[in-house]
C-alpha cells in the first residue's frame, strides 16, 4: 500500500473556541467549501458544541469529533464525559492525548492509553496525538519520545482495532506558535512512527494507518506538508476556526 491508497484526514481542533450559537453558521459556511473534498473532513469541537455540530453537518461530508473523553462508562467522575456518552450522541471521532491535555491537565501516556482503550471500546475513532517538546528535539530524542508515546498509547490495541486509530504527529513546539515543522521534519517523524507501527504490528498495519501532521498547519504551508509520502493529512488548530483557511487545507489534502 502506498500513500495514494491511505485515507488522508483533515481534522479541525477548535480547542476552547466557539459557542453553540457560533457553531451552526460556521458549519453552514464550511459545508459548500469542502463538499468536493477527496479526503475525510472532521471538526473536533468543545463538548457543548457537539449537538449543534451534529445537527448542522447532517447529510454533509463533514464528520464531528470531541476533543477528549474519559475511559469509564459512567460514575462519580464530576466534569468528565465518557466515550459511551459521545457514542450515544452519534459522535464518531475523538482527539486523545493532545499536548494541551498533557501539559495543563495532567495527562500521561498511561491515561492516554486508558482513554484510547475506552474510546475504541465505545466504537469511536481516535485521533491520537503524540509529539516532542522543543528541549527533547534539541536533545535529539524526538524518536524515543514519540516512539514511547505511541507504544504506550496503543498498549492492548489489536491490529484489527487499528482501523479505529489515526495518529497525529504534533511537535509541541509547533502548536499554536506559528512555527511549523518543515515538510522534511514532518516526513521524518511520520515515517518513524510508521516503523514503530510495523514493529508493534506488521508492515501491512503500518502502511494502512493514517498518520497526520499537526502544528501551525495553514492554508499557505499545507500543500507542501501533505504532499510528503508519510503525511496523511493534518490536525489543524487555529486555521480550523476560519472556514476559508480550513477549506484551503482540505483542498491541499485532496490534491496531495
Ligand atoms: C492543534 O491544536 O492540534 C494544533 C495543531 O494547533 P495549531 O494548528 O493552532 O498549531
Amino acid at each position: 500500500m502506498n500513500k495514494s491508497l491511505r485515507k488522508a484526514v483533515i481534522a479541525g481542533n477548535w480547542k476552547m473556541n466557539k459557542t453553540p450559537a457560533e457553531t451552526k453558521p460556521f458549519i453552514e459556511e464550511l459545508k459548500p467549501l469542502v463538499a468536493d473534498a477527496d479526503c475525510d473532513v472532521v471538526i473536533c469541537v468543545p463538548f457543548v458544541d457537539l449537538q449543534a455540530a451534529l445537527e448542522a453537518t447532517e447529510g454533509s461530508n463533514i464528520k464531528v469529533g470531541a476533543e477528549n473523553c474519559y475511559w469509564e462508562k459512567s460514575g462519580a467522575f464530576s466534569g468528565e464525559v465518557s466515550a459511551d456518552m459521545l457514542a450515544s450522541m452519534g459522535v464518531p471521532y475523538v482527539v486523545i492525548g493532545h499536548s494541551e491535555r498533557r501539559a495543563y491537565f495532567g495527562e500521561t501516556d498511561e491515561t492516554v492509553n486508558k482513554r484510547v482503550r475506552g474510546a475504541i471500546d465505545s466504537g469511536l475513532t481516535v485521533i491520537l496525538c503524540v509529539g516532542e517538546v522543543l528541549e527533547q528535539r534539541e536533545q535529539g530524542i524526538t524518536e524515543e519520545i514519540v516512539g514511547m508515546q505511541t507504544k504506550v498509547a496503543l498498549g492492548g490495541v489489536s491490529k484489527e482495532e487499528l482501523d479505529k486509530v489515526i495518529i497525529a504527529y504534533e511537535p509541541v513546539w509547533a502548536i499554536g506558535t506559528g512555527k511549523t515543522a518543515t515538510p522534511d521534519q514532518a516526513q521524518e517523524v511520520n515515517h518513524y512512527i510508521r516503523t514503530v507501527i510495523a514493529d508493534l504490528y506488521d508492515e501491512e498495519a503500518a502502511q494502512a494507518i493514517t498518520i497526520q501532521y499537526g502544528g501551525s498547519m495553514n492554508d499557505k504551508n499545507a500543500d507542501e506538508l501533505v504532499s510528503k509520502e508519510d503525511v496523511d493529512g493534518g490536525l489543524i488548530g487555529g486555521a480550523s476556526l476560519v472556514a476559508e483557511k480550513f477549506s484551503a487545507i482540505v483542498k491541499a489534502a485532496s490534491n496531495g
Side-chain angles (χ1 to χ4, degrees):
M1 188 184 276
N2 64 28
K3 182 183 173 76
S4 63
L5 299 170
R6 278 193 295 271
K7 199 78 188 165
V9 181
I10 295 294
N13 172 30
W14 284 7
K15 309 188 193 233
M16 198 173 72
N17 290 294
K18 295 195 191 293
T19 63
E22 291 165 338
T23 296
K24 190 172 185 292
F26 176 87
I27 292 172
E28 291 308 332
E29 186 187 351
L30 183 64
K31 275 199 284 200
L33 300 177
V34 299
D36 298 333
D38 192 17
C39 65
D40 284 356
V41 182
V42 183
I43 49 168
C44 300
V45 305
F47 291 130
V48 294
D49 296 337
L50 286 169
Q51 191 56 44
L54 286 168
E55 283 166 18
T57 54
E58 214 179 312
S60 79
N61 60 333
I62 304 173
K63 304 281 189 314
V64 173
E67 298 177 13
N68 188 25
C69 69
Y70 196 60
W71 58 86
E72 296 287 354
K73 293 188 181 305
S74 62
F77 305 103
S78 302
E80 290 293 307
V81 171
S82 74
D84 258 16
M85 290 170 171
L86 296 175
S88 76
M89 290 180 76
V91 173
Y93 288 84
V94 63
V95 176
I96 303 279
H98 192 279
S99 64
E100 289 151 15
R101 300 293 317 169
R102 295 176 190 256
Y104 309 140
F105 303 103
E107 293 278 348
T108 64
D109 290 338
E110 287 69 29
T111 60
V112 168
N113 174 241
K114 287 183 176 184
R115 288 175 206 267
V116 167
R117 192 59 269 163
I120 293 175
D121 286 343
S122 298
L124 303 182
T125 295
V126 170
I127 300 177
L128 164 65
C129 302
V130 297
E132 81 287 2
V133 299
L134 186 59
E135 292 76 8
Q136 293 164 336
R137 174 158 284 266
E138 286 171 352
Q139 286 163 6
I141 56 171
T142 295
E143 290 189 352
E144 284 85 342
I145 296 297
V146 167
M148 186 180 68
Q149 290 173 338
T150 305
K151 285 180 187 167
V152 178
L154 294 179
V157 175
S158 69
K159 181 182 169 187
E160 290 66 40
E161 290 170 328
L162 270 193
D163 66 355
K164 289 285 188 190
V165 178
I166 293 166
I167 298 176
Y169 167 54
E170 297 212 302
V172 181
W173 47 270
I175 297 178
T177 58
K179 203 172 161 192
T180 319
T182 66
D184 286 345
Q185 285 172 324
Q187 165 59 25
E188 190 178 21
V189 182
N190 278 33
H191 178 74
Y192 176 71
I193 294 170
R194 216 175 286 289
T195 67
V196 171
I197 298 297
D199 283 351
L200 282 177
Y201 301 93
D202 57 22
E203 192 54 35
E204 185 186 38
Q207 289 304 317
I209 194 164
T210 294
I211 306 180
Q212 301 171 312
Y213 165 79
S216 298
M217 193 189 274
N218 59 39
D219 47 325
K220 307 278 184 301
N221 58 28
D223 261 330
E224 258 202 287
L225 285 161
V226 300
S227 69
K228 289 292 180 184
E229 176 64 28
D230 287 293
V231 179
D232 308 315
L235 181 57
I236 322 297
S240 75
L241 298 170
V242 182
E244 263 184 36
K245 289 188 183 176
F246 187 62
S247 64
I249 300 170
V250 169
K251 278 199 183 71
S254 300
N255 299 332

